[in-house]
């Protein structure tokens, strides 16, 4: 491949590592990098913006041919009587200066600060060091943050890009609540793409060419939970809680698909024909694994960005609510959201661009 311009070199390299199951066609990664860099309006920090935008997407895999008729129970989750902590609302993709209370601003445009929207709708910055920008970061219940990002060991050196590029680390970093680095591990394998889906107290869950992989934070050992062949198709969005994995494929952009990671296979799917959905942007499983929330858009741009929720047990559509307009600088707004309990969803519409921006929070009850 010909040399690419230095100003997008890091962006493309990082995007390649962040595209879930990177198919080996850098042209596709390069196109995604340019598109998402425009969306983030961050010309001087394109690498960071692109990495964040592309976490866990575009896995090029074969289609699944059979489906389990029954829905196995969710496992690896708190008991029904246990008090489940609220999911932390991390502002994945936020890149700029934001208002945070009267007269206060928080700068999230660098490479060592990430943001969290805490109850009361204030932005809490966290220091996470160890990469040139973060593909993905996840806040754990115990206050730690798990993040994955690319680190250029040869800054300023033009190189031909791709998964074999020289001088690049993909660092998995765990920080304590005070920002102290507890773990920094290069998880790159030359010739392979890697990105992070999510993490819990013991493991990070990575997309590799082999499929969805559990990476033990203590030992670094890995095992495949869902193999490459079973995942089937390019992946737009995904989430994992306990043994339940939900994803949306490029080939069916409005059909959430449910997997059981113990079985390592698809067990159900939930088309959204009644919503006039054109694409799903993000998904988030509830803490008990019984519901999934999705951001989506309709073909009619006037309908804006919306949130819907599905209950797995009876396939009920629990809510369909407008949250943001589409158009202008960002056609598909950046939306972060998290479950506060089994039925309540808290989220934020996050502007990305020059100047000081204001995050718009929202609260949705799914009944």
């Amino acid at each position: 491949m010909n040399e690419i311009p230095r100003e997008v070199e890091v962006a493309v390299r990082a995007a390649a590592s962040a595209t879930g199951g990177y198919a080996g066609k850098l042209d596709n990664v390069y196109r995604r990098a340019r598109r998402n860099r425009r969306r983030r309006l961050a010309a001087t920090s394109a690498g960071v913006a692109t990495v964040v935008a592309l976490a866990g997407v575009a896995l090029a895999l074969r289609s699944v041919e059979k489906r389990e008729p029954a829905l196995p129970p969710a496992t690896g989750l708190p008991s029904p009587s246990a008090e489940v902590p609220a999911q932390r609302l991390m502002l994945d993709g936020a890149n700029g200066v934001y208002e945070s209370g009267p007269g206060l601003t928080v700068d999230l445009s660098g490479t060592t600060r990430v943001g969290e929207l805490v109850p009361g709708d204030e932005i809490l910055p966290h220091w996470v060091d160890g990469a040139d920008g973060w593909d993905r970061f996840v806040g754990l219940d115990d206050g730690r943050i798990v993040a994955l990002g690319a680190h250029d060991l040869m800054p300023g050196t033009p190189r031909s890009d791709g998964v074999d590029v020289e001088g690049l680390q993909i660092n998995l970093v765990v920080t304590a609540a005070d920002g102290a680095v507890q773990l920094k591990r290069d998880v790159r394998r030359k010739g392979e793409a890697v990105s992070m889906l999510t993490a819990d107290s013991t493991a990070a869950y990575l997309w590799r060419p082999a499929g969805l992989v559990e990476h033990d934070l203590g030992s670094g050992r890995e095992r495949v939970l869902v193999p490459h062949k079973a995942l089937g198709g390019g992946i737009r969005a995904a989430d994992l809680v306990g043994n339940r994995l939900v994803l949306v494929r490029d080939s069916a952009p409005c059909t959430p698909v449910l997997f059981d990671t113990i079985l390592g296979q698809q067990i159900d799917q939930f088309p959204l024909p009644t919503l006039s959905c054109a694409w799903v942007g993000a998904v988030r499983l509830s803490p008990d694994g019984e519901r999934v929330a999705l951001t989506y858009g309709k073909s009619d741009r006037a309908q804006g960005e919306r949130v819907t929720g599905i209950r797995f047990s009876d396939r009920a559509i629990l809510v369909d609510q407008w949250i943001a307009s589409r158009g202008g600088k960002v056609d598909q707004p950046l939306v972060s959201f998290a479950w506060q309990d089994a039925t309540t969803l808290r989220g934020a519409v996050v502007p990305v661009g020059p100047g000081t921006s204001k995050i718009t929070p929202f609260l949705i009850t799914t009944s």
Side-chain angles (χ1 to χ4, degrees):
M1 180 176 180
N2 295 331
E3 286 191 355
I4 60 177
R6 172 58 191 162
E7 62 265 26
V8 295
E9 176 191 350
V10 174
V12 179
R13 247 197 343 271
S17 69
T19 48
Y22 174 57
K25 293 185 178 180
L26 187 57
D27 288 345
N28 292 336
V29 177
Y30 192 38
R31 171 178 51 78
R32 288 173 182 266
R34 288 181 298 179
R35 181 186 65 204
N36 284 280
R37 192 168 67 258
R38 287 195 298 268
R39 284 187 59 198
R40 299 298 189 265
L41 300 177
T44 60
S45 56
V48 179
T50 306
V51 172
V52 173
L54 293 174
V57 297
L59 214 75
L61 308 161
R62 297 183 218 170
S63 61
V64 173
E65 295 180 353
K66 61 182 180 179
R67 182 179 61 143
E68 287 290 319
L71 189 64
T75 62
L77 304 171
S79 66
S81 60
E83 183 176 347
V84 180
Q87 294 173 343
R88 294 170 66 183
L89 179 49
M90 310 305 291
L91 300 177
D92 231 339
N95 181 25
V97 180
Y98 299 93
E99 295 181 12
S100 180
L104 300 176
T105 60
V106 174
D107 188 350
L108 300 178
S109 61
T111 62
T112 59
R113 269 188 169 191
V114 301
E116 176 181 6
L117 194 68
V118 297
D121 297 330
E122 292 185 358
I123 300 173
L124 178 64
H126 299 280
W127 279 258
V128 184
D129 198 6
D132 302 328
W134 298 108
D135 160 358
R136 173 95 165 122
F137 55 90
V138 177
L140 304 184
D141 296 340
D142 59 10
R144 291 183 297 164
I145 291 177
V146 182
L148 187 80
H151 177 52
D152 187 358
L153 300 176
M154 301 166 60
T157 304
R159 284 154 282 166
S160 296
D161 196 46
V163 293
D164 292 311
V165 67
E166 298 292 336
L168 182 71
Q169 293 179 337
I170 305 295
N171 288 331
L172 178 66
V173 174
V174 180
T175 62
D178 63 359
V181 176
Q182 297 181 337
L183 171 70
K184 180 181 175 183
R185 179 182 296 146
D186 182 8
V187 297
R188 184 190 180 204
R189 296 173 183 169
K190 197 169 182 179
E192 294 186 4
V194 60
S195 65
M196 184 170 72
L197 170 61
T198 190
D200 59 27
S201 61
T202 61
Y205 299 91
L206 307 178
W207 297 119
R208 290 195 185 274
L212 178 63
V213 173
E214 180 187 64
H215 178 100
D216 186 274
L217 294 177
S219 66
R221 288 192 295 268
E222 293 189 358
R223 66 186 182 101
V224 177
L225 298 179
V226 183
H228 175 112
K229 182 178 179 180
L231 288 165
I235 296 175
R236 298 181 57 86
D239 193 24
L240 174 72
V241 170
N243 67 312
R244 288 193 166 174
L245 167 69
V246 172
L247 60 83
V248 178
R249 300 184 179 113
D250 285 335
S251 59
C254 290
T255 301
V257 180
L258 183 63
F259 284 77
D260 186 323
T261 60
I262 295 175
L263 300 175
Q265 64 186 31
Q266 178 179 330
I267 56 174
D268 211 339
Q269 59 183 3
F270 301 86
L272 305 174
T274 62
L275 298 179
S276 301
C277 171
W279 43 260
V280 167
V283 301
R284 193 79 189 259
L285 278 161
S286 62
D288 61 6
E290 298 298 331
R291 304 170 184 226
V292 63
L294 310 96
T295 62
Y296 81 99
K298 298 176 183 283
S299 299
D300 179 6
R301 290 171 45 138
Q303 296 292 319
E305 187 95 352
R306 307 181 70 86
V307 168
T308 189
I310 302 170
R311 185 167 52 223
F312 293 134
S313 60
D314 58 3
R315 315 177 78 87
I317 301 295
L318 303 174
V319 68
D320 179 22
Q321 183 169 319
W322 177 96
I323 54 169
S325 298
R326 294 173 57 193
K329 293 179 180 178
V330 180
D331 185 56
Q332 296 179 20
L334 178 62
V335 179
S336 297
F337 56 136
W339 291 88
Q340 297 307 283
D341 52 41
T343 62
T344 308
L345 194 70
R346 189 168 68 95
V349 180
V350 184
V352 181
T356 300
S357 301
K358 183 176 178 60
I359 287 175
T360 303
F362 61 84
L363 191 69
I364 297 174
T365 300
T366 62
S367 74

